[in-house]
Amino acid sequence: MLKLYGPRAVWEKAGSVPVLKVSPGVPADNRPVVFYHGWSTDSEKQLSKALLMAAYGYTVFIPELINHGQRGALPDYYCVQDYDRFWHTVLATTEEYEELSSFIAADMGCYPAVMGHSMGGFIALGIGSRYADRLNGIISMNGSGDWMESHHFFEQRFHMNLASHWTLRNQVEENTPLAHTGEMKDIPCLLLSGEADASVAVQAQQHFYNVLHQTNTRAEYRTYPGLGHFVTINMMDDALQWLNRISMR
């Protein structure tokens, strides 16, 4: 019979990073998952997803990201002048994973799987390309591992023309997961995208998967016809079934 648990949620600190920890209400297997939220939201708004995963026995850690929630929420997340803050958040959060993963390993006795939606999906793949030995799997929902193609999409979407003068170009080009697929060759990866997503370029994620799958046969890519930039129950069910299949190192 399927076991379901009564979850509980508490705020903790991983070094300087506030983390909302959502755990099963009774002792369960050590199966930690980090969930990264998207642009313009915050950790507490991810509780419905985390509670669902905790009900299946997972302990979910939801870091609060810079420029969000209690770490300095912005008055307007879609001001073109603040475009660089998006990429600063992606890059800084990727770096913070080293400290976060140490905190989780000390707490749980193993490294987590990392998961994220939208910007969180960018971050999850960025972490995978940099800290392959500190995680057990990656789920990217409506995210992208081809950061430069996504940048060009954002330029068109918001009618920007940054060209070669963009100050973050070198950092994004150097850190894009697309340039580091070799480091991800042994990591189970699940990429999920809505085919009608108008917020993040689906073609960027498709291109990333095509390159990744050449060296990583454990990578999977699924799309959802007619779905926009949303996480659905079907998507969460697919993610949970996939998490149940992968073995935690």
Side-chain angles (χ1 to χ4, degrees), residues 181 184 189 191 207-216 219:
T181 54
M184 304 174 69
C189 294
L191 313 179
H207 179 229
F208 172 72
Y209 169 74
N210 291 342
V211 175
L212 176 65
H213 195 63
Q214 292 175 17
T215 56
N216 186 342

Side-chain angles (χ1 to χ4, degrees), residues 7 47-58 233 236-237 240:
L47 269 175
S48 60
K49 305 178 189 73
L51 290 170
L52 176 61
M53 288 187 280
Y56 281 83
Y58 293 96
I233 293 297
M236 285 300 300
D237 283 344
L240 280 164

Side-chain angles (χ1 to χ4, degrees), residues 16-138:
S16 61
V17 181
V19 181
L20 186 58
K21 178 182 177 181
V22 183
S23 53
V26 297
D29 295 336
N30 284 355
R31 299 196 292 176
V33 176
V34 177
F35 188 90
Y36 289 98
H37 63 71
W39 183 246
S40 81
T41 183
D42 59 49
S43 294
E44 292 189 353
K45 292 186 177 69
Q46 316 312 310
L47 269 175
S48 60
K49 305 178 189 73
L51 290 170
L52 176 61
M53 288 187 280
Y56 281 83
Y58 293 96
T59 300
V60 185
F61 296 83
I62 315 172
E64 192 82 281
L65 310 188
I66 63 168
N67 299 315
H68 294 78
Q70 56 190 285
R71 297 185 73 186
L74 303 179
D76 181 1
Y77 282 90
Y78 296 95
C79 173
V80 171
Q81 288 74 17
D82 285 338
Y83 173 66
D84 282 3
R85 287 179 183 260
F86 172 89
W87 291 107
H88 279 303
T89 304
V90 171
L91 294 165
T93 305
T94 300
E95 288 193 9
E96 288 180 346
Y97 180 75
E98 183 169 6
E99 186 172 40
L100 177 63
S101 62
S102 296
F103 170 82
I104 293 172
D107 184 32
M108 302 289 295
C110 61
Y111 288 125
V114 296
M115 178 179 182
H117 171 244
S118 189
M119 179 183 69
F122 285 63
I123 292 166
L125 291 169
I127 288 168
S129 68
R130 183 167 177 177
Y131 298 104
D133 59 338
R134 286 176 166 260
L135 51 85
N136 289 291
I138 302 169

